[in-house]
Amino acid sequence: MNGELSLAQLIGEASLLVQLVMLILLAASVASWMLIIQHALLFRRVRAEAETFDERFWSGRELSEIHREVRDGESRGQAAIFEAGYNEFSRLPRGAPVLDTVQRAMRVVLNREVDTMEHRLGWLATIGSVSPYVGLFGTVWGIMNSFTALGDVQQATLARVAPGIAEALFATAMGLFAAIPAVIAYNRFSQQAERLAERYDNFIEEFGTLLLRHAGR
């Protein structure tokens, strides 16, 4: 009997509740990997856009020219923060508190961009924290059924309890399989979101100071 057939038999002969636990964990694992792929692509795009905008912004070109390019394109991330700050600066009357007003407008966009990066990221934390307990529940139930069944026989042998214990331990393994990638991904993406938020915040300070110099001319 090959390993795949043994595994199929293990799942097929499991109790209904343990099968339900396995199905839930399988769905959690699939959802986890979908979120991991989506966020990996999102953060790759955000970092690339930030690098591209930094090169454009610090190239020495006029701010009005950069603003026209950003306005005509699809502004996201750092470009969207720049556009919000420049638009607010352009509407301010002379003598208005430039730095506070402009930075406030840019921070609104920063918070929106951070929310976009962290959207559904909490689901990875939930999957990572809950899945082991769901698998443990299936394990306890399977082992309990195995030992309960021994009450109906006169001689208890390892062969009688081995299938039930195996299906129970398989539920634990599925719980860990769903949880470990989710926890690793959540920690990694949270760190990336924090670093990008710090990068945006530094840009707000630098751009606000630059606009303050323009206002003083």
Side-chain angles (χ1 to χ4, degrees):
M1 183 177 296
N2 56 45
E4 292 184 0
L5 184 58
S6 298
L7 183 60
Q9 276 192 340
L10 190 67
I11 297 173
E13 295 176 0
S15 64
L16 183 60
L17 184 59
V18 176
Q19 287 180 340
L20 179 61
V21 168
M22 292 178 181
L23 182 61
I24 292 173
L25 292 173
L26 178 62
S29 180
V30 171
S32 173
W33 279 105
M34 289 178 61
L35 291 172
I36 290 171
I37 293 172
Q38 290 174 1
H39 281 85
L41 295 176
L42 171 65
F43 281 105
R44 180 184 299 178
R45 174 181 61 78
V46 170
R47 287 195 303 269
E49 290 174 348
E51 292 291 341
T52 301
F53 181 80
D54 267 346
E55 293 178 3
R56 184 192 306 175
F57 182 78
W58 298 110
S59 63
R61 299 160 59 187
E62 291 293 330
L63 294 179
S64 57
E65 181 183 352
I66 298 175
H67 178 257
R68 281 195 300 270
E69 293 179 358
V70 171
R71 182 190 58 195
D72 295 338
E74 185 179 1
S75 60
R76 294 178 301 201
Q78 207 162 309
I81 295 173
F82 165 82
E83 184 178 13
Y86 190 90
N87 289 340
E88 188 67 24
F89 174 76
S90 302
R91 289 192 293 263
L92 286 176
R94 287 187 174 274
V98 174
L99 192 58
D100 290 342
T101 306
V102 171
Q103 286 187 342
R104 192 180 304 115
M106 289 191 288
R107 291 193 189 283
V108 170
V109 180
L110 181 149
N111 292 333
R112 186 182 67 204
E113 294 298 321
V114 171
D115 287 341
T116 299
M117 289 188 290
E118 294 180 345
H119 180 57
R120 294 191 297 182
L121 197 59
W123 281 104
L124 287 176
T126 301
I127 292 172
S129 59
V130 173
S131 293
Y133 294 103
V134 175
L136 182 60
F137 172 75
T139 299
V140 171
W141 186 267
I143 292 176
M144 184 176 64
N145 281 344
S146 297
F147 283 103
T148 301
L150 292 180
D152 299 331
V153 298
Q154 294 181 349
Q155 184 178 3
T157 61
L158 182 61
R160 289 185 179 274
V161 297
I165 294 176
E167 75 182 39
L169 294 177
F170 184 68
T172 298
M174 288 191 66
L176 294 176
F177 181 77
I180 292 174
V183 172
I184 294 174
Y186 174 78
N187 291 334
R188 179 175 176 81
F189 293 145
S190 295
Q191 291 173 359
Q192 291 182 4
E194 184 178 350
R195 285 197 297 267
L196 285 167
E198 291 176 357
R199 179 174 187 165
Y200 292 164
D201 191 65
N202 291 335
F203 173 76
I204 288 175
E205 296 293 334
E206 294 169 346
F207 185 40
T209 303
L210 185 61
L211 290 178
L212 192 59
R213 293 175 186 166
H214 277 265
R217 292 179 181 177

